[in-house]
């Protein structure tokens, strides 16, 4: 966001960077869900963007795949559409309860749906819904505009089970999703920076489980082949020397006779 304010004739405005590319929603619809490594990169950039906004007193209120822009690959991410965002004084923390609710119900935190005060943790809940969708291939709750029905469904299934599409999904990433979707805001990650740190741990876990072991096996195989080749060469050399020695011994014996 470059600037925000109100024009002389009373219209509110937000000046933002012009972006090329497509939304996360359209990319998934066109190419399918991304691999685990791309999910980790994407989530880290969104969490970092939210940390930046929250540190400046801005709560987005509408984090969803349609408001996450991608460049040519999966690793160029921008958070867009601050139309329902709210800027408040840093000291005031959470907003006051509202009579009007802006956002997309399927991705809203429980307090947001109820019209209660919201803060940075409400955006992180929405990020948790996006992550759940990327990891499992579906939303944690049915998408509907009926807020009462959605609240009832949330009450019945407070902690939806996270069943990843990809068996290589690191357990830490699954735990991150569960934490972000905690109904009480005090049980969630409190800052986007915390989520970034947790995602770094998930990345290291993925590398340890699925990338480093492979390279280790390749190195180990090379060492085994090198050792075997050394043994073969040593045996060949010994056999050759033995043959030469036998021939020399026969020749010397013949001369002596």
């Amino acid at each position: 966001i470059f600037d925000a304010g109100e024009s002389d004739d009373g219209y509110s405005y937000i000046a933002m960077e012009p972006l090329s590319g497509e939304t996360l929603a359209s990319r998934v619809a066109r190419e399918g869900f991304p691999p685990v490594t791309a999910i980790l990169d994407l989530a880290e950039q969104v969490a970092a963007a939210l940390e930046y906004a929250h540190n400046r007193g801005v709560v987005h209120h509408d984090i969803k795949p349609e408001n996450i822009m991608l460049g040519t690959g999966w690793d160029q991410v921008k958070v867009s559409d601050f139309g329902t965002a709210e800027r408040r004084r840093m000291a005031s923390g959470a907003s006051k309860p509202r009579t009007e609710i802006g956002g997309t119900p399927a991705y809203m935190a429980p307090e947001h749906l109820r019209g209660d005060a919201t803060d940075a943790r409400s955006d992180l809940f929405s990020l948790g819904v996006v992550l759940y969708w990327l990891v499992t291939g579906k939303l944690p709750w049915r998408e509907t505009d009926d807020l009462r029905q959605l609240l009832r469904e949330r009450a019945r299934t407070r902690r939806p089970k996270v069943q990843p599409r990809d068996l290589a999904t690191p357990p830490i990433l699954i735990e991150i999703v569960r934490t972000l979707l905690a109904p009480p805001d005090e049980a969630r990650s409190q800052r986007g920076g915390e989520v970034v740190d947790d995602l770094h741990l998930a990345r290291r876990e993925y590398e340890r489980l699925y990338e480093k072991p492979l390279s280790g096996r390749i190195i180990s195989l090379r060492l085994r082949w090198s050792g075997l080749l050394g043994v073969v060469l040593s045996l060949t050399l010994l056999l050759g020397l033995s043959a030469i020695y036998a021939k020399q011994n026969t020749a010397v014996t013949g001369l002596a006779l």
Side-chain angles (χ1 to χ4, degrees), residues 3-235:
D3 191 19
E6 189 172 294
S7 63
D8 294 337
D9 52 359
Y11 288 97
S12 298
Y13 69 87
I14 300 177
M16 299 178 63
E17 174 188 3
L19 297 176
S20 59
E22 61 185 325
T23 67
L24 174 60
S26 62
R27 178 71 61 81
V28 169
R30 185 168 58 85
E31 297 185 8
F33 287 98
V36 171
T37 52
I39 293 175
L40 292 169
D41 289 339
L42 186 152
E44 180 181 336
Q45 292 185 64
V46 175
L50 290 176
E51 172 80 352
Y52 183 89
H54 296 156
N55 284 342
R56 286 152 182 77
V58 176
V59 178
H60 189 282
H61 280 154
D62 199 17
I63 296 296
K64 60 181 179 180
E66 289 80 2
N67 289 338
I68 297 173
M69 294 292 298
L70 301 176
T72 54
W74 293 100
D75 57 346
Q76 299 174 347
V77 180
K78 297 278 188 178
V79 175
S80 65
D81 195 352
F82 282 75
T84 60
E86 183 179 358
R87 187 167 191 174
R88 70 276 307 259
R89 294 178 181 176
M90 298 298 294
S92 64
S95 65
K96 296 178 181 179
R98 299 177 306 280
T99 56
E100 295 183 358
I101 301 176
T104 305
Y107 295 87
M108 285 181 182
E111 64 273 12
H112 195 178
L113 284 172
R114 295 191 299 264
D116 295 341
T118 59
D119 58 22
R121 297 168 295 184
S122 307
D123 279 347
L124 295 179
F125 182 96
S126 301
L127 174 59
V129 178
V130 174
L131 265 178
Y132 185 100
W133 174 69
L134 288 171
V135 168
T136 68
K138 62 182 181 180
L139 289 172
W141 301 281
R142 287 182 298 173
E143 196 164 7
T144 176
D145 292 328
D146 188 334
L147 297 187
R148 291 184 179 180
Q149 179 182 341
L150 188 54
L151 283 170
R152 286 194 297 268
E153 186 173 352
R154 296 274 188 97
R156 286 194 300 269
T157 312
R158 293 173 61 83
R159 294 291 187 108
K161 188 174 182 180
V162 184
Q163 295 179 313
R165 299 174 294 102
D166 190 341
L167 295 179
T169 302
I172 291 179
L173 178 55
I174 295 174
E175 190 57 35
I176 290 171
V177 176
R178 289 174 177 157
T179 301
L180 291 174
L181 292 181
D185 52 12
E186 64 272 13
R188 299 174 208 149
S189 301
Q190 302 297 291
R191 296 173 41 253
E194 293 180 14
V195 181
V196 171
D197 292 340
D198 290 341
L199 288 166
H200 287 167
L201 293 176
R203 163 73 72 175
R204 287 199 289 270
E205 182 182 39
Y206 178 85
E207 291 173 350
R208 178 177 61 83
L209 293 174
Y210 301 105
E211 292 182 353
K212 296 287 178 65
L214 178 60
S215 62
R217 287 196 298 270
I218 292 173
I219 294 173
S220 178
L221 184 61
R222 287 175 180 170
L223 290 175
R224 286 199 296 269
W225 275 110
S226 299
L228 181 60
L229 182 60
V231 171
V232 171
L233 290 174
S234 298
L235 288 174

